[in-house]
Amino acid sequence: MSINETSRAYGAQKSSIREIAAYAGARKAEIGSENVFDFSLGNPSVPAPDAVRASIERALALPATQLHGYTPANGLPAVREAVAASLTRRFGDGAASAGDLYLTCGAAASLSITFHAVVNPGDEVIVIAPYFPEYRVWIETSGATCVEVLADPATFQVDVASVAAAITPRTKAVVINSPNNPVGSVYSRDNLAALADALREAEKSLGTAIYLVADEPYREITYGAEVPWVPSVYDRTIVCYSYSKSLSLPGERIGWVLVPPTNPDHDDLILAVAGAGRKLGFVCAPALFQRVLMDCVDCPSDVEAYAKNRRALTEGLSALGYEFIEPEGAFYLWVKALEPDAEKFFERAKALELLPVPSDSFGCPGWVRVGYCVSYETIVNSMPAWEKLAASYR
Amino acid sequence: MSINETSRAYGAQKSSIREIAAYAGARKAEIGSENVFDFSLGNPSVPAPDAVRASIERALALPATQLHGYTPANGLPAVREAVAASLTRRFGDGAASAGDLYLTCGAAASLSITFHAVVNPGDEVIVIAPYFPEYRVWIETSGATCVEVLADPATFQVDVASVAAAITPRTKAVVINSPNNPVGSVYSRDNLAALADALREAEKSLGTAIYLVADEPYREITYGAEVPWVPSVYDRTIVCYSYSKSLSLPGERIGWVLVPPTNPDHDDLILAVAGAGRKLGFVCAPALFQRVLMDCVDCPSDVEAYAKNRRALTEGLSALGYEFIEPEGAFYLWVKALEPDAEKFFERAKALELLPVPSDSFGCPGWVRVGYCVSYETIVNSMPAWEKLAASYR
């Protein structure tokens, strides 16, 4: 074989999340979708706000050559201004201006581009396990080693001492994802401040620069917790965002990278982000959905639907004696498996038509992720199966 | 500086095409847009067909979670079926089936993904100069060396003997672009057959596999010439396509990679293409515009508008004594500079508010590219300036 073996392997290796989702689809066809409780995917169950549709209809009145033409590589200036204005309203003067933003084809592109902007071959990038498994793919593709550091096993906040211990002279970045997929935790201001202190101390003692990559697609999906603005806590932050969850547009691929003006390497990073996008073949973010942001950047997410699901799921599982991390954001419940081997627990759940994702997929043993971005009925109707599953361990 | 220097450099280095376009914009603001003859960009001047708008409006009637949700990484099955059916109608039974296609965020993504699918570090990829300068960026990013082979200087067909001479044991691929940007030439069936023979001979004598990457965004923009279906000439072909030009949707980023069923490495390449897309952070092609293809895959391009421009430009320049390559496709005229140094010729043109792109940007001395995807009036009104330019050399 003379083609690229790594690419072939990544194509052949199905993500376990996608595999479970595919099984769920097949099983639904077999026994009826009402009899399969598919908690595997993170596809928003809430529709995009009506304002998105209205915005698309409005845009269609523009001359087609203008509407569908190439935009600048970093996005239409008016769109970046609208996003920056929104960030400034929410996070204070100086949070962002249009020149600090680079619009992308969604969060995956934001992260891939960010890693390619900062990483040199042989560098290390720290991720907090459990973590979204594609992080490893993009980190390794950029030429770095992916270093897993377990979150605090009691709270699933960042275990700052463990991060500090994992830092080496080759550490180029730490990735955090809060609100967190797969746990649903939100990192507190104190936790982030402690992390920032540790990073600054390491930078000082090693004479290096360490970037904090804040992956925040779930920022708007919260249940009361504060989601601190990371650039206000740590200067060398790069924020990666997507509208996949907040506007329920995962298939349209629209998001951004922000290099905050307070980042001391701002000007070089802006160039490196643009250059990384160019290197990878991202010409511009999809033009029509860039324009949608101008109208919808401040649309509230329909968190109430997820909050209702969350309540039903946590109350139901709690009554059945399951242990879990109380989710403060995103739409995942992190449930302790009833035996040490999460895969075995999953197999027993699967036999009852319950389909969460075992935690091993996220770099952490002993739990399952239950995605509650599903219909309310799915949650309610799944309870007898959860009960049988618990009973089978008694 | 500890960030990635290559990315920073690619971000800092402006493409000369974009630089000229930016100058044109500034100059128009200064002296009025009717006084600047901007032939720099390849942004279609013809609007997207009405069917595109109708298709978007129809799609908006779908439930939003379905319309805007994640699609499979290779694209919606029904869309790939529609594209494959169109290719089969046009190029014969067995041209493509849905499983052979991987939908992408446009031609840049198609090419970047293809290079990452086949290249191993140290490989070589041959391009036919003059060539679209971003090829080099994507080839080098994938880990290969970009090897330039000049086209036949009389006809700008592939110089097969020169390609054969440039092939080494490390040659992994040859990229062709027909109809050609920047020349407007279309490679004849005989020329492609000779190239295919040379590649097969080299494969046999070296014991290697050489892929022919056919970059075809201009396939539908032709003026009577046949554009042979490359997989029918050479088995180890990979076709890269985009709807940027044929449907005038450059900002929406929608295209595909086809691994033809006749490619002997088909199954491995399909996996490698999917894996390369995953590695680079392409989750799926924009969902709404995937659906547009279902309705518009056979929409005819409005070639007549470009044909009218082409006639006015070639007749006008011909009468003034300019030499050029008669364009058979795309929307560029390749005009011989009136002195050996194309940059100096460009500077003299610029002083007359004429803005083509000097050929050095495309890896070839002595010519300029005149993009005629502009208004008809721009072409007609530019003639006195072209006349002055010619007179200045007498």
Side-chain angles (χ1 to χ4, degrees), chain A residues 2 8 68 112 172 251 268, chain B residues 2 8 68 172 251-252 268:
Chain A
S2 63
R8 190 191 171 286
H68 301 302
S112 171
K172 180 54 55 68
D268 289 313
Chain B
S2 63
R8 190 191 170 286
H68 301 303
K172 180 55 55 68
E252 307 299 355
D268 289 314

Side-chain angles (χ1 to χ4, degrees), chain A residues 77-330:
Chain A
V79 176
R80 287 183 285 112
E81 273 159 28
V83 173
S86 168
L87 295 175
T88 301
R89 272 193 298 278
R90 296 164 66 198
F91 306 116
D93 276 352
S97 62
D100 307 326
L101 286 158
Y102 179 91
L103 303 187
T104 64
C105 296
S110 297
L111 287 160
S112 171
I113 287 170
T114 297
F115 296 137
H116 278 84
V118 300
V119 156
N120 287 297
D123 282 352
E124 293 164 2
V125 175
I126 292 174
V127 299
I128 312 299
Y131 66 103
F132 182 55
E134 296 301 287
Y135 285 175
R136 174 176 286 275
V137 177
W138 303 322
I139 289 168
E140 291 181 350
T141 300
S142 76
T145 303
C146 177
V147 177
E148 297 180 5
V149 172
L150 277 174
D152 180 306
T155 62
F156 284 88
Q157 297 278 303
V158 179
D159 182 338
V160 174
S162 294
V163 171
I167 292 175
T168 77
R170 312 234 51 157
T171 304
K172 180 54 55 68
V174 176
V175 186
I176 56 173
N177 173 221
S178 168
N180 184 261
N181 172 14
V183 173
S185 52
V186 171
Y187 299 154
S188 71
R189 185 168 287 277
D190 284 354
N191 187 232
L192 289 173
L195 175 63
D197 283 343
L199 296 184
R200 278 187 291 260
E201 205 167 295
E203 281 187 326
K204 207 171 151 190
S205 75
L206 295 169
T208 59
I210 303 175
Y211 298 100
L212 187 55
V213 178
D215 175 29
E216 305 199 333
Y218 296 98
R219 168 169 281 282
E220 280 70 31
I221 319 281
T222 58
Y223 310 102
E226 182 209 8
V227 183
W229 180 236
V230 182
S232 74
V233 179
Y234 186 70
D235 278 351
R236 239 178 215 111
T237 294
I238 301 171
V239 185
C240 293
Y241 189 77
S242 136
Y243 295 90
S244 293
K245 316 296 176 178
S246 58
L247 294 179
S248 294
L249 294 173
E252 306 299 356
R253 315 312 303 147
I254 183 78
W256 43 256
V257 176
L258 170 70
V259 180
T262 41
N263 191 311
D265 310 320
H266 175 272
D267 294 0
D268 289 313
L269 284 173
I270 288 285
L271 294 176
V273 164
R278 186 180 167 197
K279 273 165 73 169
L280 300 177
F282 293 101
V283 170
C284 61
L288 174 61
F289 284 91
Q290 289 190 36
R291 285 177 197 279
V292 165
L293 299 189
M294 257 193 290
D295 296 321
C296 301
V297 75
D298 283 329
C299 280
S301 303
D302 181 7
V303 177
E304 199 34 59
Y306 298 127
K308 186 179 167 198
N309 285 356
R310 170 178 171 272
R311 212 156 36 235
L313 185 63
T314 54
E315 286 176 8
L317 293 192
S318 198
L320 294 172
Y322 285 96
E323 286 176 56
F324 51 80
I325 300 298
E326 190 73 31
E328 298 184 286

Side-chain angles (χ1 to χ4, degrees), chain B residues 67-106:
Chain B
L67 173 57
H68 301 303
Y70 289 114
T71 79
N74 57 351
L76 292 164
V79 176
R80 288 183 284 112
E81 273 159 28
V83 173
S86 168
L87 295 175
T88 301
R89 272 193 297 278
R90 296 163 67 197
F91 306 116
D93 276 352
S97 62
D100 306 326
L101 287 158
Y102 179 93
L103 302 187
T104 64
C105 295

Side-chain angles (χ1 to χ4, degrees), chain B residues 338-361:
Chain B
L338 297 178
E339 61 182 303
D341 186 332
E343 293 281 353
K344 282 191 186 150
F345 176 68
F346 166 74
E347 286 303 329
R348 228 191 255 205
K350 188 176 163 189
L352 296 164
E353 315 300 349
L354 283 176
L355 297 167
V357 179
S359 61
D360 309 75
S361 314

Side-chain angles (χ1 to χ4, degrees), chain A residues 1-15 18 42-48 52-53 56-57 60-62 64-65 67-73 105 108-109 112-113 115-121 123 133-134 137-138 141-142 172 208-209 211 244-245 248-253 265 267-290, chain B residues 1-15 18 42-48 52-53 56-57 60-62 64-65 67-73 105 108-109 112-113 115-121 123 133-134 137-138 141-142 172 208-209 211 244-245 248-253 265 267-290:
Chain A
M1 180 63 45
S2 63
I3 64 172
N4 188 285
E5 259 313 310
T6 314
S7 293
R8 190 191 171 286
Y10 278 130
Q13 168 208 73
K14 291 277 169 288
S15 109
R18 291 255 175 180
N43 219 348
S45 52
V46 159
V52 166
R53 185 186 164 146
I56 294 172
E57 283 168 350
L60 288 176
L62 288 171
T65 48
L67 173 57
H68 301 302
Y70 288 115
T71 79
C105 296
S112 171
I113 287 170
F115 296 137
H116 278 84
V118 300
V119 156
N120 287 297
D123 282 352
E134 296 301 287
V137 177
W138 303 322
T141 300
S142 76
K172 180 54 55 68
T208 59
Y211 298 100
S244 293
K245 316 296 176 178
S248 294
L249 294 173
E252 306 299 356
R253 315 312 303 147
D265 310 320
D267 294 0
D268 289 313
L269 284 173
I270 288 285
L271 294 176
V273 164
R278 186 180 167 197
K279 273 165 73 169
L280 300 177
F282 293 101
V283 170
C284 61
L288 174 61
F289 284 91
Q290 289 190 36
Chain B
M1 180 61 47
S2 63
I3 63 171
N4 187 285
E5 258 315 310
T6 314
S7 293
R8 190 191 170 286
Y10 278 130
Q13 167 209 72
K14 290 277 170 287
S15 112
R18 291 257 174 180
N43 218 346
S45 51
V46 160
V52 166
R53 184 184 163 148
I56 294 173
E57 282 168 350
L60 288 175
L62 288 171
T65 48
L67 173 57
H68 301 303
Y70 289 114
T71 79
C105 295
S112 170
I113 287 170
F115 296 138
H116 277 84
V118 301
V119 156
N120 287 296
D123 283 350
E134 297 300 285
V137 177
W138 303 321
T141 300
S142 75
K172 180 55 55 68
T208 59
Y211 298 99
S244 293
K245 316 297 174 178
S248 294
L249 295 173
E252 307 299 355
R253 315 311 303 144
D265 311 320
D267 294 359
D268 289 314
L269 285 172
I270 287 286
L271 294 176
V273 164
R278 185 180 168 196
K279 273 165 76 170
L280 299 176
F282 292 101
V283 170
C284 60
L288 175 61
F289 284 90
Q290 288 190 36

